[in-house]
Amino acid sequence: MAQTVEFLFDTGLERYKAGETTETLIPVFKEVCDRAPKTSSAWICLSWLYLLENKPNLAYKAAQKAVRLNPQDPQARINLAMSMLETGQKGLREHIEFAKQLIFVNEEWEQEIKDSIADGLSRKPDWQSLAKVKTWLFE
């Protein structure tokens, strides 16, 4: 079973990178999360897809799970902060500050976050919360 979950996750990522619509990928990552609920990377992907689809409440729930499973993941923190920003919640600054510290100590993570932000803005050019978060993280 673990293999099929990994296969689903990997092919889902490949399809995302190939430019497939977020709409068709959400069910794939939902299934991965259902079958492997302790996989933080799956929750991170799901929350990102929800953010791209303008579903910040669902993104918030998925990002919360990701952060609970892996508090040291900067992307999980960023997704949580963006969903909080888009749903008008307080307390997102601490997640931004934490993500900043994480990427400050790890160049690889910093590059991943920069790539992820560039990807997000290429898919959704008018994504204001992502533009704000980019400014908070890197300026």
Side-chain angles (χ1 to χ4, degrees):
M1 184 182 125
Q3 223 177 2
T4 31
V5 170
E6 276 175 35
F7 179 77
L8 257 180
F9 181 81
D10 292 342
T11 53
L13 267 184
E14 283 167 24
R15 288 163 59 189
Y16 176 84
K17 287 176 184 160
E20 192 169 320
T21 67
T22 48
E23 211 177 335
T24 59
L25 291 171
I26 286 174
V28 174
F29 284 96
K30 254 175 144 166
E31 186 181 337
V32 173
C33 291
D34 288 344
R35 289 169 58 183
K38 298 211 180 310
T39 309
S40 66
S41 53
W43 289 107
I44 291 168
C45 291
L46 186 60
S47 65
W48 181 255
L49 293 171
Y50 281 141
L51 285 164
L52 281 166
E53 277 294 307
N54 302 313
K55 295 178 177 168
N57 290 315
L58 291 169
Y60 176 71
K61 287 181 183 141
Q64 263 188 319
K65 285 186 179 133
V67 169
R68 222 179 346 231
L69 290 165
N70 187 359
Q72 302 298 314
D73 191 302
Q75 188 68 57
R77 295 279 180 167
I78 290 165
N79 291 1
L80 185 59
M82 285 199 318
S83 62
M84 291 171 84
L85 185 61
E86 291 183 12
T87 54
Q89 296 182 58
K90 302 262 179 273
L92 63 104
R93 270 290 190 205
E94 67 178 277
H95 298 294
I96 294 291
E97 290 308 315
F98 200 77
K100 256 174 123 159
Q101 289 167 11
L102 290 168
I103 60 180
F104 181 71
V105 298
N106 186 329
E107 281 179 28
E108 204 176 296
W109 278 348
E110 183 180 352
Q111 195 51 56
E112 281 175 20
I113 295 303
K114 284 181 174 169
D115 293 347
S116 152
I117 289 171
D119 170 70
L121 291 171
S122 74
R123 287 171 188 263
K124 196 172 159 182
D126 57 345
W127 198 351
Q128 288 172 344
S129 57
L130 184 59
K132 265 185 194 163
V133 166
K134 180 184 179 183
T135 304
W136 292 336
L137 286 172
F138 297 110
E139 285 170 25

